[in-house]
Amino acid sequence: MSEFLFEKVALIGIGLIGSSIAINIRERGLAREVAIATRREETLRRAEELRLGSSFHLDPAEAVRDADLVILCLPVGSCGAATEAMAKGLKPGAIVTDVGSVKGAIVRDVGPHLPAHVHFVPGHPIAGTEQSGPDAGFLELFENRWTILTPLPDTDEAATEALRRFWEATGAMVEVMTPEHHDMVLAIVSHVPHLIAYNIVGTAADLETVTQSEVIKFSASGFRDFTRIAASDPTMWRDIFLTNREAVLEMLSRFSEDLASLQRAIRWADGEALFDLFTRTRAIRRSIVQAGQDTEEANFGRLKPRRGDPWNEKGTTAPGE
Ligand code: NAP
């Protein structure tokens, strides 16, 4: 029996998520070899300087050669083309997975390019920050965070279990569900909240009666939290909205109805309706803290950087997705 979970892992894409996986493999000894492929020479050289892998490639087909586990760590919209480019190098029995924030589109775009002799188990670690690139990764990113796996009905169960063990070894908790259910859940917990943040920051930027400098100067309250989310990577988020269109539109129409009823409550001075909703939402926040998915410290504990808590040390904040 090997001391490693996998002999060779190939990471296609080496940004925040790819580099965090690479650091986990290196620091926790999860694989003997790590091959890294990325599109730009500059990113590849940086990954090499950071010692994120044992071999470095511009051609993904070369990186995946002999790999037992291949992880696509790319924006959702580029996973199909990358799979097409690497497919001929995949070894029989390899597990192919990804980390994309949308799962239906990955099944649709990646699946058809894969040879029948590999196991396809799409995945999504619900952990992240608003930083990108190979310098952004850190060991603790996945600790105590959920990773969702969305195997297809004909996926080999042993492949799903092997991938589960890999994620658990990074400190993550793993849940299995269908790609459709994943996309619906993520639309409400992540995608629509990001859209709201992009929208409110955009509205503030366009206001004529309040100057930009006032928006920045007085942003200490709610607005500042939205700006953190609205600073997330534009390519990644463009792809999320283009590829999870249906679920996002469905959740947005529910959201708009609820917003209209809040608008009515304010217009008719219905304090009871406002108070009831705010009481219910406060309880949800409490449940998130109780589930260990955030801290109850004031201001998310953000004012006092704690050692060993990289997003605080970097002056950034709570995990995104
Ligand atoms: P990132 O830091 O921006 O890194 C992206 C990587 O993909 C880089 O290696 C980049 O290569 C490559 N890339 C970008 N555009 C490409 C294209 N058109 N074709 C080929 N390669 C391309 O991204 P990330 O934050 O790690 O996100 C990667 C995936 O993880 C996304 O699918 C995202 O949905 C998912 N995810 C993100 C988070 C988060 O909070 N960030 C959380 C969970 C899941 P070059 O630098 O060489 O151009």
Side-chain angles (χ1 to χ4, degrees), residues 78 216 253 259:
S78 46
I216 291 164
S253 72
L259 189 63

Side-chain angles (χ1 to χ4, degrees), residues 13-18 38-40 43 73-76 78 99-102 124-133 233 235-236 240 320-321:
I14 192 75
L16 166 72
I17 302 294
T38 192
R39 169 179 68 157
R40 288 183 301 142
T43 308
C73 306
L74 304 168
V76 175
S78 46
V99 295
S101 309
V102 179
H124 176 203
I126 318 251
T129 71
E130 62 278 21
Q131 315 283 325
S132 11
D233 187 70
T235 308
M236 166 179 158
I240 287 175
E321 49 294 312

Side-chain angles (χ1 to χ4, degrees), residues 76 98-107 122-127 146-151 175-191 240 243-244 247-248 251 321:
V76 175
D98 74 301
V99 295
S101 309
V102 179
K103 298 277 51 91
I106 291 288
V107 172
H124 176 203
I126 318 251
W146 288 96
T147 288
I148 297 178
L149 301 181
T150 63
E175 187 140 322
V176 172
M177 60 180 72
T178 65
E180 298 74 29
H181 190 68
H182 167 278
D183 289 354
M184 206 51 97
V185 172
L186 267 290
I188 193 62
V189 302
S190 168
H191 305 168
I240 287 175
T243 54
N244 199 21
V248 167
M251 290 303 168
E321 49 294 312

